[in-house]
Amino acid sequence: MVSVTAVWLFLRAEARRRWRAWLSLALIVGVFTGGVVTAAAGALRTGSAYARFLDWSKAPDAIVAAEPYNRSSARLSPAAVMRVPQAADAAVIKTLLPDGSIIQFLSPASNAIPGQFWKRKILSGRLADPGRPGEVNVSFALAQRLHLRAGGPLRLVLTTAAGRPAAFVFHVAGIDAAQAEFPPQPGNGGYVAWGTPAFYRQHRALDGFVQVALRFHHGGRDWPAVLRELSKNARGKPRRPHCSLPSR
């Protein structure tokens, strides 16, 4: 049976209960953008703001670990996970954990993110160009923590599959607010940098975790059926989690 701990569920109900604290912080840290978040703050001011933000962003309901594989766990390809019938939207992402950094670096494999789902609200600057491997978006929490600004650099040391360090200097195209970036989050959750599909294609050899973001037709109600489907595909073999994303 597929282990529940191998999948990180994003629970809408909990997010809707705690939106005031999260949204307040997002608006407070807006000072770093020099006032450019005024329009965004106005759009998110009413009592249902965070719930509407989640609906607008078409945020995923679950993240399923797919690669790397482990001999003791099931071998589920990203394509197999994406094919579960309960998925309304699905996309592959790769998570990299830079050396000595608080950052989670997420790189989508296609324009699906932030295209038809898991969209990001740009607070300053613009969305990173999907065709440019050197551009990133960063979360408002990360921008505040590292004093980053749109148009500035972000220096990271990533790791190759052979275990060697690889230094990168990214151009911060914009600062965003997205599901999975609002505190409180476990660990370093919220400190997110978003790479591009061009980066994913160009740097497949970098060490990281390939995962599938899933948005279900009926939200959390579809989760038991998804578990059964994944268990069937895994032929009863357990799944081992490789890393987690901050939950909503």
Side-chain angles (χ1 to χ4, degrees), residues 107 117 197:
S107 190
F117 89 122

Side-chain angles (χ1 to χ4, degrees), residues 22-104:
W22 298 350
L23 185 56
S24 295
L25 178 59
L27 297 182
I28 289 170
V29 302
V31 295
F32 72 78
T33 65
V36 298
V37 299
T38 303
L44 298 175
R45 195 168 287 138
T46 65
S48 60
Y50 191 71
R52 290 189 291 111
F53 176 72
L54 287 180
D55 290 339
W56 168 82
S57 70
K58 299 186 181 297
D61 293 299
I63 301 292
V64 179
E67 298 173 352
Y69 301 115
N70 179 276
R71 290 182 179 179
S72 64
S73 61
R75 185 180 179 91
L76 289 177
S77 70
V81 177
M82 294 174 74
R83 286 195 298 267
V84 295
Q86 296 78 20
D89 286 306
V92 172
I93 58 173
K94 188 169 185 176
T95 299
L96 302 99
L97 304 176
D99 284 351
S101 175
I102 60 173
I103 298 171
Q104 293 188 78

Side-chain angles (χ1 to χ4, degrees), residues 228-247:
R228 289 193 296 270
E229 191 72 22
L230 293 177
S231 295
K232 181 174 64 176
N233 290 338
R235 298 181 181 179
K237 211 172 182 182
R239 295 286 297 137
R240 183 173 70 92
H242 302 297
C243 69
S244 67
L245 288 176
S247 68

